[in-house]
């Protein structure tokens, strides 16, 4: 069996990391794969090539029809049995190519669907209708697809995968590190984390609290300016930028805080749980499906008082941090493994190929 992935970018992000896991799963299953990408020279490209897989650039032209023809030609050369999109905005390419070549296609819903539709008003309906199957990573996206009268048989819920690490979170009584990880953009609302850092630094002057922001994006300069206005020195709030070795960052932290307005199933929350970190997160998208009172705290987006209260509780109670972190690691190990992904993908591919 041969699977051709059509992707928009190979920069470091959640969807791209899940693509890497899918490629690993296919390799273990003995399924051949190739990646067609609209961009080139990005972080995950070399990592994918190092495994022996081919990455081909299909984004030379800005013209969508020319891009589509290039994709069709390359898929025909590969003689793919399945075409799979890794981003919502590449669903139209995978779906259209599949229909032209009579090859089954799979689309991706990586967020809560509302965000995708709002961001692609002109092509949104095609991104949903053209692929034969749609993979979601959250129940809320599945529910919204059903409300749009998408056939239940067309929807597959596939959990995100993370690597589970041994050991425990730091759990130190002093020098606690509180982490934000993610792209610094409007959806992630990192400014809430900066305000949280200011409030808690004043509330716990006797503790050497250190707040860290791992990630980069268009809001970074604004956030750095806000930090200066709030008198948050670098020893209190550090901007780490893009971090390739996030495992080291999680291992050195004590608490993860996620402040997003929109999410699918956030990798950073799962990764933190896999490292034994307790989590405080906004109740958005698939976050509500993976966090409960035994693994962390959920707060409503925009309720910064609740965000402060939940984080304060974790700072003040080492035993609670340890219990929540251990339960989070157990949950991720049982529900978000590479083995589960292998099994589910193989079932989807077999069903599609058999039906075609």
């Amino acid at each position: 069996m041969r699977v051709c992935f059509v992707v928009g970018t190979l920069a470091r992000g959640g969807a791209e990391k899940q693509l890497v896991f899918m490629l690993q799963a296919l390799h273990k299953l003995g399924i051949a794969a190739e990646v067609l990408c609209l961009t080139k020279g990005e972080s995950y490209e070399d990592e994918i090539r190092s495994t022996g897989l081919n990455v081909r650039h299909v984004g030379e032209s800005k013209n969508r029809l020319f891009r589509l023809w290039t994709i069709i030609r390359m898929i025909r050369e590969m003689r793919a049995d399945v075409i799979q999109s890794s981003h919502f905005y590449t669903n139209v390419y995978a779906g259209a190519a599949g229909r032209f070549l009579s090859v089954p296609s799979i689309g991706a819903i990586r967020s809560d669907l509302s965000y995708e539709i709002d961001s692609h008003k002109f092509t949104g309906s095609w991104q949903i209708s053209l692929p034969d199957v749609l993979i979601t990573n959250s129940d809320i996206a599945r529910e919204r697809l059903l409300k749009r009268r998408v056939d239940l048989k067309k929807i597959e819920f596939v959990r995100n995968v993370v690597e589970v690490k041994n050991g425990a979170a730091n759990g130190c009584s002093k020098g606690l590190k509180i982490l934000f990880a993610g792209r610094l953009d409007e959806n992630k609302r990192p400014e809430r984390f900066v305000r949280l850092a200011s409030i808690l630094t004043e509330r716990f002057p006797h503790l050497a609290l250190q707040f860290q922001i791992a990630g980069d994006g268009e809001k970074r300069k604004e956030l750095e300016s806000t930090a200066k206005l709030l008198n948050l020195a670098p020893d209190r709030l550090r901007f780490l930028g893009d971090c390739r070795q996030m495992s080291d960052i999680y291992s050195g932290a004590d608490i993860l805080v996620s402040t997003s307005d929109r999410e699918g199933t956030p990798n950073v929350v799962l990764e933190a749980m896999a490292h034994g970190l307790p989590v405080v997160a906004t109740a958005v998208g698939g976050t509500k499906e993976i966090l409960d009172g035994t693994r962390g705290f959920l707060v409503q987006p925009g309720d910064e008082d609740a965000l402060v209260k939940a984080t304060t509780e974790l700072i003040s109670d080492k035993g609670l941090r340890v219990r929540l972190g251990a339960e989070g690691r157990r949950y991720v190990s049982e529900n978000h493994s590479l083995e589960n992904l292998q099994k589910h993908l193989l079932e989807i591919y077999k069903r599609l190929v058999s039906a075609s």
Side-chain angles (χ1 to χ4, degrees):
M1 186 182 295
R2 298 180 179 86
V3 179
C4 182
F5 286 88
V6 181
V7 307
T9 172
L10 290 174
R12 293 198 172 266
E16 296 76 27
K17 182 62 176 178
Q18 291 307 308
L19 168 65
V20 171
F21 281 125
M22 287 187 180
L23 293 172
Q24 290 176 4
L26 267 58
H27 177 72
K28 289 180 177 292
L29 291 167
I31 296 176
E34 188 164 323
V35 177
L36 306 182
C37 187
L38 298 181
T39 57
K40 61 181 177 180
E42 293 172 315
S43 300
Y44 279 121
E45 184 172 327
D46 287 341
E47 184 173 331
I48 293 171
R49 289 186 190 277
S50 69
T51 65
L53 295 177
N54 195 17
V55 178
R56 302 170 73 180
H57 182 227
V58 293
E60 291 89 349
S61 174
K62 298 295 183 183
N63 185 290
R64 289 180 177 174
L65 288 177
F66 187 83
R67 284 181 173 181
L68 176 59
W69 179 245
T70 302
I71 290 168
I72 289 172
R73 177 172 52 81
M74 290 185 178
I75 293 172
R76 178 185 280 158
E77 290 174 1
M78 182 188 176
R79 301 178 68 182
D81 298 294
V82 177
I83 306 167
Q84 183 167 347
S85 169
S86 285
H87 295 91
F88 183 79
Y89 60 93
T90 51
N91 288 357
V92 67
Y93 293 116
R99 295 200 176 197
F100 185 86
L101 296 168
S102 297
V103 175
S105 61
I106 301 172
I109 310 293
R110 300 300 312 173
S111 188
D112 61 3
L113 187 62
S114 293
Y115 172 69
E116 282 102 336
I117 295 297
D118 290 345
S119 302
H120 301 86
K121 295 185 185 298
F122 178 68
T123 63
S125 61
W126 290 353
Q127 310 284 8
I128 293 171
S129 62
L130 284 175
D132 298 304
V133 166
L134 294 168
I135 285 181
T136 75
N137 64 356
S138 67
D139 277 329
I140 190 169
R142 177 167 56 181
E143 291 169 4
R144 288 174 176 170
L145 284 170
L146 292 173
K147 287 180 180 179
R148 296 180 70 90
R149 298 183 178 179
V150 175
D151 189 340
L152 178 60
K153 295 178 181 178
K154 182 174 177 173
I155 306 168
E156 291 285 348
F157 174 53
V158 177
R159 297 181 187 275
N160 281 7
V161 172
V162 292
E163 296 174 307
V164 179
K165 300 295 182 180
N166 295 322
N170 282 340
C172 303
S173 58
K174 289 195 174 184
L176 284 170
K177 291 183 180 178
I178 303 168
L179 175 67
F180 172 98
R183 181 162 179 78
L184 306 185
D185 62 18
E186 194 62 35
N187 280 326
K188 303 295 185 183
R189 298 303 298 269
E191 70 277 4
R192 292 172 178 161
F193 183 78
V194 175
R195 290 194 289 267
L196 175 74
S198 176
I199 292 169
L200 294 180
T201 297
E202 292 183 7
R203 182 169 296 184
F204 295 98
H206 57 292
L207 295 180
L209 297 180
Q210 185 180 102
F211 296 83
Q212 298 180 326
I213 295 179
D216 213 338
E218 59 266 25
K219 292 179 72 72
R220 177 164 177 171
K221 288 185 178 179
E222 174 189 330
L223 297 170
E224 289 175 334
S225 297
T226 301
K228 288 181 180 178
L229 289 173
L230 295 174
N231 296 316
L232 288 167
D235 64 328
R236 289 294 191 177
L237 175 61
R238 294 184 61 198
F239 289 84
L240 305 179
D242 281 328
C243 302
R244 294 202 171 191
Q245 299 300 323
M246 277 303 298
S247 181
D248 295 339
I249 304 299
Y250 291 123
S251 296
D254 297 277
I255 299 167
L256 178 88
V257 177
S258 175
T259 56
S260 300
D261 271 346
R262 296 177 184 271
E263 287 288 358
T265 296
N267 281 345
V268 294
V269 171
L270 290 172
E271 289 168 353
M273 292 166 67
H275 284 77
L277 291 181
V279 177
V280 179
T282 45
V284 294
T287 311
K288 295 179 288 186
E289 299 157 26
I290 59 177
L291 271 187
D292 62 16
T294 68
R295 298 188 284 273
F297 294 120
L298 286 171
V299 301
Q300 292 303 311
D303 189 346
E304 297 192 24
D305 289 339
L307 190 71
V308 170
K309 181 180 178 181
T311 311
T312 296
E313 190 169 347
L314 288 176
I315 290 171
S316 305
D317 192 336
K318 175 183 176 181
L320 179 63
R321 294 197 303 271
V322 172
R323 289 195 304 274
L324 296 182
E327 178 60 22
R329 182 189 286 111
R330 183 201 65 77
Y331 169 82
V332 170
S333 179
E334 292 180 1
N335 294 280
H336 296 270
S337 68
L338 188 64
E339 291 73 22
N340 287 340
L341 177 64
Q342 289 173 215
K343 180 180 178 182
H344 202 160
L345 284 179
L346 186 59
E347 290 172 353
I348 295 171
Y349 295 154
K350 283 184 175 179
R351 176 166 63 83
L352 280 173
V353 172
S354 176
S356 67

